[in-house]
Amino acid sequence: MQTHSLVPHPDFPPGLVHAVTARITPDGEWLRLRWRIEGAYKLVVPPFAGKGRADGLWQTTCFELFLQPPGEPGYVELNLSPSERWNAYDFGSYREGMAERAFPREPSCTMRKGEALAIFDAAVPASALPPAPWDYNLTAVIEEEGGIKSFWALSHPAGKPDFHDAACFTGTLAAADAA
């Protein structure tokens, strides 16, 4: 299990949200992910839409995982929404060759929100992902009431928010960790 404190992009500060942590846990047939949002008083949670693929999930509160085998140009992007919608994409290289990634079964997504704290859990079928080792990036787009959007990641490159940038892929998961 690896837990990370995400950092907001400096050009898009959050409102009341003051911390986002993310955890990645390989668990046999599943990869378990958890995001914890502190200061979630005005967090916008997309309404329940039922399981299924959807595009544009990042336009409101959404959680993402990017995986890249070390030394490879290609990577996988996984988008997970509190609405239970999701999507997964393969890229041949930086923002090039995008195609939907096949999944043997849908991820499970669960959002719990209290007054000041929200927790988003996801279980992703491990068989849908490339085999470890990986470099990875855990991210969150956080929307708060009033149209405030902040972009959280393990790291940010200079310039605008770009979760696809290799500078963001600072997490590592060894092959032995995935067993």
Side-chain angles (χ1 to χ4, degrees):
M1 173 175 56
Q2 298 179 33
T3 301
H4 304 277
S5 293
L6 304 186
V7 293
H9 191 279
D11 294 343
F12 295 88
L16 297 176
V17 171
H18 56 86
V20 177
T21 57
R23 183 171 74 197
I24 183 169
T25 308
D27 184 18
E29 294 182 24
W30 296 95
L31 181 67
R32 300 197 186 278
L33 304 162
R34 171 173 280 182
W35 286 263
R36 178 183 168 104
I37 303 100
E38 295 180 36
Y41 301 99
K42 294 187 175 189
L43 180 70
V44 173
V45 178
F48 174 77
K51 289 185 180 190
R53 286 186 183 256
D55 290 318
L57 297 173
W58 55 269
Q59 294 176 20
T60 186
T61 299
C62 176
F63 303 91
E64 300 176 340
L65 171 66
F66 292 79
L67 301 172
Q68 184 174 39
E72 297 291 325
Y75 58 96
V76 174
E77 175 185 1
L78 182 61
N79 301 155
L80 303 159
S81 172
S83 70
E84 290 196 13
R85 295 293 177 162
W86 65 279
N87 218 333
Y89 307 97
D90 284 317
F91 288 85
S93 60
Y94 173 74
R95 293 190 176 271
E96 296 292 329
M98 183 174 125
E100 276 194 356
R101 183 173 185 83
F103 256 63
R105 60 193 293 190
E106 294 187 290
S108 171
C109 300
T110 305
M111 182 75 167
R112 295 181 309 279
K113 184 182 178 310
E115 180 69 20
L117 177 68
I119 295 177
F120 179 78
D121 286 314
V124 178
S127 62
L129 304 173
W134 308 315
D135 294 328
Y136 65 84
N137 185 18
L138 288 160
T139 72
V141 175
I142 301 295
E143 183 177 0
E144 295 176 78
E145 292 173 15
I148 298 169
K149 283 189 189 171
S150 54
F151 301 88
W152 299 72
L154 294 176
S155 178
H156 293 282
K160 66 180 183 173
D162 185 357
F163 296 155
H164 293 252
D165 191 294
C168 298
F169 289 64
T170 61
T172 58
L173 187 75
D177 293 346

